[in-house]
Amino acid sequence: MFEVFLLLSLLLILTCVVYTSLKIGIAPMPSSFKSAHKMNEISLSLKKDIVVDLGSGFGFLALYFAWKNPKIKIIGYETSFFPWIFSICLKYVFNCKNLYFYKENYLDIEIPEDYLIICFLFPKGMDLLEVKLKKLENKVISNTFSFKTKKPIQTYVLDDLYKTKIYLY
């Protein structure tokens, strides 16, 4: 009986994640360790007190930043329910007091200009973010995907299998 309950629960979670992924256009994807490390390295030179992870997925990138920077406030925004819940669980498992997760669409929130934005979005998500940020002067560190019209201040190419690009705006 327990196995049936477990199987049905996993099927429900999978169905919800697939539904949300189809609705927003992409499934939650974790950043690689190398890209998270490089993004954190770049962020240290910018000396920001608050870092916002837009589309935080399962929370690995935000967790990495919180773990490496215990004096900096890290905020993650995610729209998909189960990745958001998983993120909150990770926050408590790793006891990250400087990490906060919210179940909200990053397009619907106000982001103060002095916040650093980190993200691993997708092309459409980057287009929507670029439109949102036209009025703001936030620094943005993006994993893999770039803005269409804004030119990056710096582009970093990682020494990994995919030659991953990290963009600083």
Side-chain angles (χ1 to χ4, degrees):
M1 185 65 177
F2 174 74
E3 292 85 6
V4 172
F5 175 74
L6 182 63
L7 184 62
L8 288 175
S9 297
L10 291 174
L11 187 60
L12 173 67
I13 291 170
L14 180 64
T15 302
C16 288
V17 170
V18 168
Y19 172 75
T20 306
S21 298
L22 291 172
K23 184 177 163 188
I24 62 174
I26 193 164
M29 291 293 288
S31 293
S32 70
F33 175 77
K34 279 187 176 183
S35 60
H37 179 74
K38 186 62 177 180
M39 292 171 81
N40 184 62
E41 184 181 288
I42 297 165
S43 75
L44 293 175
S45 68
L46 301 174
K47 298 182 184 340
K48 296 288 186 174
D49 295 328
I50 299 176
V51 175
V52 179
D53 182 5
L54 302 181
S56 59
F58 290 99
F60 298 121
L61 183 59
L63 182 68
Y64 182 86
F65 268 71
W67 190 260
K68 289 290 199 177
N69 308 287
K71 296 197 184 316
I72 295 175
K73 182 177 181 179
I74 312 296
I75 304 170
Y77 290 98
E78 176 56 41
T79 58
S80 188
F81 181 75
F82 286 105
W84 170 70
I85 288 292
F86 188 82
S87 299
I88 291 172
C89 293
L90 282 179
K91 168 193 166 58
Y92 289 107
V93 166
F94 288 97
N95 195 27
C96 291
K97 296 184 186 330
N98 61 327
L99 180 58
Y100 305 87
F101 287 106
Y102 299 99
K103 187 184 174 310
E104 291 185 56
N105 187 332
Y106 63 86
L107 297 171
D108 298 333
I109 61 167
E110 292 299 319
I111 305 169
E113 290 183 12
D114 58 333
Y115 287 16
L116 171 63
I117 297 170
I118 59 172
C119 57
F120 182 17
L121 296 173
F122 57 109
K124 183 181 175 190
M126 290 299 289
D127 293 346
L128 295 170
L129 180 60
E130 185 173 20
V131 169
K132 179 180 179 62
L133 295 179
K134 276 204 189 284
K135 304 172 202 100
L136 299 174
E137 292 299 321
N138 292 79
K139 291 288 187 190
V140 178
I141 302 173
S142 176
N143 182 357
T144 306
F145 301 102
S146 63
F147 291 131
K148 275 189 181 163
T149 59
K150 246 185 183 177
K151 298 296 176 217
I153 297 168
Q154 182 94 34
T155 302
Y156 304 86
V157 180
L158 301 181
D159 185 24
D160 63 2
L161 179 64
Y162 304 107
K163 300 296 180 204
T164 304
K165 291 184 179 177
I166 306 293
Y167 300 95
L168 170 63
Y169 294 94

